[in-house]
Amino acid sequence: MARPESPCLSIAIARLRTAGANHFATWVLQAPYPSGYVHHDCMWPHTLSQSWKAWQEMFSPSGTIHELPLNPDGSFVSPENSQNILAEIEKRSPHSLHLAPPTPSVPLHLGQGGWVDRGREEQNPPPPPASYSSRLMQQLGINLWQWLFEGPIQGSLQESKGIAIGQNLPLRVRVDLREPYLIALPWEIMQPQAGQPAISLSQQLLFSRTTSNVEPLPPLRPAESLNILLVLGQAEPGGGANSQSSKGNNGHLQLEAESLALAAVLESAFQTDDSGKYFDISVPTRVDTLIEPTPAELISRLETQAYNILFYAGHGIPGPDGGLLFLGPDTAINGTELAQVLVRCRVTLAVFNACWGAQPAVERLHSTNGQQQAIARSSLAEVLIHHGVPAVLGMRDSIADREALSFIQTFARALAGRMSVDRAVAVARQQLLTLYKFNQPAWTLPVLYMHPEFDGQLTEPVDDLKTELPLNSSTWLGRLPSCAYLRGRDRPNAKSTESANQVWSIRAGMVRVGRWEENDVVIREQWVSQKHAEIFCRNSIGDNRGEPSYFLRDFSRYGTLVLGPEGWQRVHHQELLLRSGTQLKFGSSQGQIFDFTIEVPKTSGYSETDCGTN
């Protein structure tokens, strides 16, 4: 029986256009219980804007400061007067909303009145202590949590968590940010209070972002392997990944070394034990690499090979259509173009090691004062999700090579271990926090977007795997497993031929028979019980007979008919030893006849193909 899907709580955030500029609405888009669909109106506090700015000045790896569209009094600029954003904002933050060279952060002091600028007090301030940066990281996380999970939204979260705990499943929490300026905020660091884990690190919550008005997903089947296309694009503007400038500069992405390391991690995920006979539950993986391909080469590779994961490492820039990926010198593809081929080729997960993949593009509104605004649904992640890619992983800001490699290695191992995408991201994020510390931005950088209809499962979960013996293995104290079959015969005047001439292999020594779909052998006859019977192999120590012992155990209402020397005999709530060649009818003498056959392997070269299972 398939494991139930984890309950999901999806929350949307949007700015109200008819109320004051600081008025926002939060409401539940999806909840695991009917009364969980609640709505809440709230104000955006000026203290949260101050906390966000202070956080960026401390933790922005690229030195970028994403300014919120605020008036001098701290209120949001309303849509009606957005053309009148004062030049004071530009004067306060001349590098707002665009990438700038890294600049020294201005140290702040946490006083009774809030965050105090000490830049004028100390000409060359020392680095802030770790306790200060940890408090700053924690404070913004608490502020974001308290703002979002307030009033009825908090009640819906608590009820949903209780339902998930009752089902012994994690709760998926997804946030739909419909105000472009809020996308830059690190919602992944939200935490309810000091001493508790951030929402993206929790064991009970699986956090991701999502977006609305998306194309529906086609039916997705769990993949039997991870087929990854690793694309190494241009490392920097004006230089290829293999150019001399790229090779001689350690500050650029080490694409070739990263691709080799990633391929080694993924390809080693499918392990055997020392004897080489027993495979674990990991997924077989295949990694193909393209270095600076043309768009035609990329599209051709995606169309001719069955990839389910795309990994891109290289340079890019944001734009209204999802930005540009620089595949090579003078060669680029935009997000919309890439989305078309990814959806057509059924790629399930796209991963981008680029600093802009989860950020929206901006446009200049005023030519004199430099006024800019974020463009709605323009980030690469959102564009791909809107077109129908199930999951996209990008970076909120620039990430160091060693941090990116650590994240990808742990993320790949988690996927190979059959974890869902959101669970694998959480595990890899925990690894970043452990290696690079809580008061550093590395663990806050990965941003996962998931399609509202996607459950995050790339491969079949561990709990859903069938209990099977490995190939070419001996069992039961060195005895080779036998092969047994149940074969359905044609029945004259039958209305259904579903089970006629069909053969079921009794794999792992057990087969269940009945009318329920959960059975191995499903017989749709009215006299067959939902859970009718089972046939199993019983081997005991000291049993030296050549033929294994198979038994029929009946659970049904009307019993099972077995053909013996004296004709058909009924077995009802009993066990009966079965011999090879025995004929069976389940429930009624008018039922279909099934032949039971045993084959004993003669050599040690046994495999499942000897049982007829291809």
Side-chain angles (χ1 to χ4, degrees):
M1 183 175 180
R3 182 177 175 87
E5 184 178 337
S6 294
C8 179
L9 181 70
S10 184
I11 304 170
I13 305 173
R15 185 146 59 117
L16 295 174
R17 304 301 179 183
T18 57
N22 278 30
H23 287 257
F24 283 78
T26 57
W27 68 99
V28 174
L29 298 170
Q30 182 181 354
Y33 67 107
S35 58
Y37 294 82
V38 296
H39 179 278
H40 180 60
D41 293 340
C42 54
M43 298 283 292
W44 182 272
H46 181 53
T47 55
L48 186 52
S49 299
Q50 291 178 315
S51 182
W52 166 226
K53 182 179 179 182
W55 192 93
Q56 293 182 90
E57 291 173 338
M58 170 64 70
F59 296 117
S60 177
S62 63
T64 306
I65 303 298
H66 297 269
E67 284 282 356
L68 297 173
L70 302 176
N71 290 312
D73 62 357
S75 63
F76 269 82
V77 175
S78 63
E80 290 75 14
N81 66 355
S82 61
Q83 297 296 327
N84 299 322
I85 298 179
L86 300 179
E88 180 179 347
I89 295 179
E90 190 69 16
K91 182 171 61 178
R92 285 186 297 164
S93 181
H95 301 297
S96 300
L97 293 172
H98 61 83
L99 293 177
T103 57
S105 60
V106 178
L108 301 177
H109 171 66
L110 183 60
Q112 294 181 350
W115 302 106
V116 180
D117 189 345
R118 295 180 54 191
R120 289 177 291 198
E121 296 179 6
E122 301 177 357
Q123 198 70 19
N124 296 306
S131 60
Y132 165 78
S133 56
S134 296
R135 287 155 57 201
L136 183 58
M137 177 72 74
Q138 183 175 261
Q139 187 60 45
L140 180 60
I142 293 174
N143 290 346
L144 288 172
W145 180 286
Q146 292 176 345
W147 181 81
L148 177 58
F149 296 109
E150 184 182 18
I153 304 296
Q154 181 185 17
S156 185
L157 172 66
Q158 296 302 324
E159 290 287 343
S160 300
K161 286 175 63 178
I163 292 173
I165 292 173
Q167 298 178 4
N168 196 27
L169 294 170
L171 173 67
R172 285 196 162 91
V173 178
R174 296 175 176 174
V175 175
D176 181 0
L177 301 167
R178 302 189 181 184
E179 179 61 42
Y181 282 105
L182 299 185
I183 293 177
L185 273 74
W187 297 93
E188 288 71 18
I189 73 171
M190 288 191 296
Q191 64 181 97
Q193 60 186 25
Q196 294 190 3
I199 191 170
S200 61
L201 300 170
S202 173
Q203 298 292 323
Q204 287 77 36
L205 303 176
L206 298 178
F207 180 77
S208 63
R209 304 188 187 193
T210 189
T211 186
S212 57
N213 299 326
V214 295
E215 292 295 325
L217 289 181
L220 298 176
R221 293 184 177 179
E224 296 181 357
S225 62
L226 298 180
N227 300 323
I228 303 171
L229 179 61
L230 179 59
V231 179
L232 308 180
Q234 186 177 351
E236 60 172 332
N242 299 312
S243 65
Q244 292 297 323
S245 62
S246 177
K247 289 182 179 179
N249 191 341
N250 292 330
H252 299 304
L253 294 173
Q254 301 172 4
L255 299 181
E256 294 181 351
E258 183 175 337
S259 68
L260 293 174
L262 177 62
V265 168
L266 291 173
E267 292 171 348
S268 64
F270 193 45
Q271 299 288 345
T272 64
D273 65 358
D274 294 336
S275 66
K277 294 181 180 180
Y278 300 96
F279 293 88
D280 61 17
I281 60 172
S282 299
V283 184
T285 59
R286 174 171 64 93
V287 182
D288 294 338
T289 303
L290 281 178
I291 298 179
E292 293 188 341
T294 65
E297 291 172 340
L298 174 61
I299 293 172
S300 175
R301 181 66 69 87
L302 288 170
E303 289 180 338
T304 56
Q305 303 290 332
Y307 295 110
N308 45 32
I309 300 177
L310 171 73
F311 180 84
Y312 173 83
H315 181 64
I317 58 174
D321 50 6
L324 287 175
L325 298 173
F326 291 99
L327 301 177
D330 304 321
T331 303
I333 186 171
N334 67 37
T336 301
E337 296 163 350
L338 179 63
Q340 302 295 324
V341 65
L342 293 183
V343 173
R344 186 171 69 252
C345 299
R346 306 293 293 271
V347 173
T348 306
L349 171 64
V351 181
F352 297 92
N353 184 16
C355 60
W356 52 272
Q359 291 292 350
V362 297
E363 61 181 348
R364 185 176 296 274
L365 297 179
H366 201 283
S367 58
T368 58
N369 64 7
Q371 176 186 339
Q372 295 177 319
Q373 76 172 10
I375 302 175
R377 296 171 178 168
S378 62
S379 71
L380 175 61
E382 289 179 292
V383 167
L384 297 185
I385 294 292
H386 273 287
H387 280 78
V389 178
V392 181
L393 179 63
M395 297 297 164
R396 187 180 48 79
D397 207 331
S398 59
I399 184 169
D401 290 346
R402 61 193 180 101
E403 297 169 349
L405 188 57
S406 297
F407 178 85
I408 292 300
Q409 286 176 334
T410 308
F411 179 61
R413 288 194 184 100
L415 289 180
R418 299 182 182 273
M419 289 187 186
S420 63
V421 174
D422 41 7
R423 172 66 75 190
V425 170
V427 170
R429 193 188 303 275
Q430 293 164 6
Q431 178 78 350
L432 284 181
L433 185 144
T434 303
L435 293 178
Y436 305 107
K437 308 307 177 186
F438 175 77
N439 61 340
Q440 297 298 319
W443 69 274
T444 74
L445 297 177
V447 174
L448 174 64
Y449 275 84
M450 289 179 61
H451 193 284
E453 300 175 7
F454 184 46
D455 65 356
Q457 208 64 54
L458 279 174
T459 57
E460 194 170 14
V462 174
D463 292 338
D464 291 351
L465 292 177
K466 295 181 180 179
T467 303
E468 296 178 330
L469 293 173
L471 301 179
N472 302 320
S473 65
S474 60
T475 55
W476 297 298
L477 301 177
R479 173 178 293 172
L480 293 175
S482 62
C483 303
Y485 308 93
L486 199 62
R487 182 189 304 272
R489 285 190 176 185
D490 285 329
R491 185 158 57 90
N493 303 321
K495 295 182 179 179
S496 173
T497 59
E498 225 174 282
S499 58
N501 294 323
Q502 190 170 351
V503 179
W504 293 270
S505 173
I506 304 178
R507 305 177 65 182
M510 168 75 77
V511 67
R512 294 178 176 87
V513 181
R515 195 150 38 92
W516 265 352
E517 292 293 337
E518 288 80 3
N519 293 293
D520 303 301
V521 180
V522 179
I523 305 175
R524 293 182 174 86
E525 296 175 341
Q526 63 269 29
W527 43 77
V528 176
S529 298
Q530 293 176 337
K531 182 182 177 182
H532 195 99
E534 64 185 17
I535 299 173
F536 62 94
C537 183
R538 177 181 293 157
N539 285 264
S540 60
I541 298 176
D543 183 2
N544 297 319
R545 291 182 303 166
E547 182 178 318
S549 300
Y550 280 86
F551 292 82
L552 168 74
R553 181 185 291 138
D554 181 84
F555 308 104
S556 66
R557 173 177 295 184
Y558 301 117
T560 302
L561 299 177
V562 180
L563 183 59
E566 300 179 0
W568 291 97
Q569 297 179 349
R570 186 178 302 276
V571 177
H572 191 227
H573 288 211
Q574 295 173 303
E575 286 187 10
L576 178 69
L577 177 65
L578 294 179
R579 301 294 185 184
S580 183
T582 301
Q583 293 185 357
L584 306 170
K585 291 183 180 180
F586 296 96
S588 171
S589 60
Q590 301 180 28
Q592 184 182 2
I593 297 176
F594 291 82
D595 292 325
F596 174 75
T597 307
I598 301 174
E599 289 184 5
V600 180
K602 300 178 181 179
T603 66
S604 60
Y606 168 82
S607 70
E608 284 200 10
T609 56
D610 298 326
C611 282
T613 57
N614 297 318

